[in-house]
Amino acid sequence: MPPESKPRPASRNPVNLLENRTPALSALLERAARLQRLDHQVRLQLSWTESARFEVANVRSGTLVVTTPLAAVASRLRLEQTRILESASRTWGAPLSKLLVKTVPAQAGKTTAPKSKPLSAFAAQQLLAAANVSGDPELGDLLKRLASLAE
């Protein structure tokens, strides 16, 4: 028997949070908008090819955190550190004194679906044989449908 779902308190219901714009949500949305503006401003400091290869991840304790999957882009960002920090400080509204560039793998956080493999002719023959000896007509139909997917 499935567990009974408890109703969420009104303060924890996502719909109510969006409708009521609680102080915590308002602060989070404002920070996200500030980070987005900052990301845009930093991208304006670099040519298009580099700006497409990094993301402003966070600002904390006067440090601008940027991530990129490419070591070459990380090096370029470090070389342009002074210009980036000056522009970012103006946009952020508080002094940013350090640029932290993190190189992360390109596939970090992304999951890829496994590639499907077609059924071989031998597998299709085995499925048809199993369908023919199956005493259950529904199972037999399913096995035959599966066998029809063979190459």
Side-chain angles (χ1 to χ4, degrees):
M1 187 163 128
E4 294 182 29
S5 61
K6 297 179 185 176
R8 287 184 171 179
S11 63
R12 307 256 350 238
N13 188 335
V15 174
N16 289 342
L17 285 174
L18 289 173
E19 289 175 357
N20 298 334
R21 298 287 297 261
T22 64
L25 180 62
S26 294
L28 183 65
L29 291 173
E30 175 59 30
R31 181 166 176 83
R34 287 181 73 196
L35 284 171
Q36 189 174 26
R37 285 191 302 270
L38 181 62
D39 184 82
H40 177 70
Q41 187 63 36
V42 170
R43 288 177 194 282
L44 290 176
Q45 296 300 313
L46 303 170
S47 67
W48 186 85
T49 55
E50 284 104 9
S51 67
R53 305 283 184 144
F54 72 88
E55 294 179 3
V56 170
N58 200 4
V59 172
R60 62 173 179 248
S61 305
T63 301
L64 173 62
V65 182
V66 179
T67 60
T68 179
L70 302 173
V73 172
S75 295
R76 176 68 190 260
L77 289 169
R78 288 184 189 103
L79 285 173
E80 299 289 337
Q81 177 174 341
T82 304
R83 189 166 52 133
I84 291 170
L85 285 174
E86 287 173 359
S87 174
S89 293
R90 284 191 304 272
T91 303
W92 191 250
L96 299 175
S97 58
K98 184 178 177 187
L99 177 66
L100 177 61
V101 181
K102 295 184 176 186
T103 306
V104 295
Q107 294 296 321
K110 296 180 182 177
T111 57
T112 57
K115 294 182 180 178
S116 62
K117 297 180 183 177
L119 287 175
S120 66
F122 180 75
Q125 289 174 351
Q126 296 299 316
L127 287 169
L128 286 174
N132 291 334
V133 296
S134 171
D136 184 3
E138 186 177 344
L139 177 61
D141 289 341
L142 289 172
L143 291 171
K144 287 177 184 174
R145 281 186 25 211
L146 187 57
S148 71
L149 299 175
E151 12 177 46

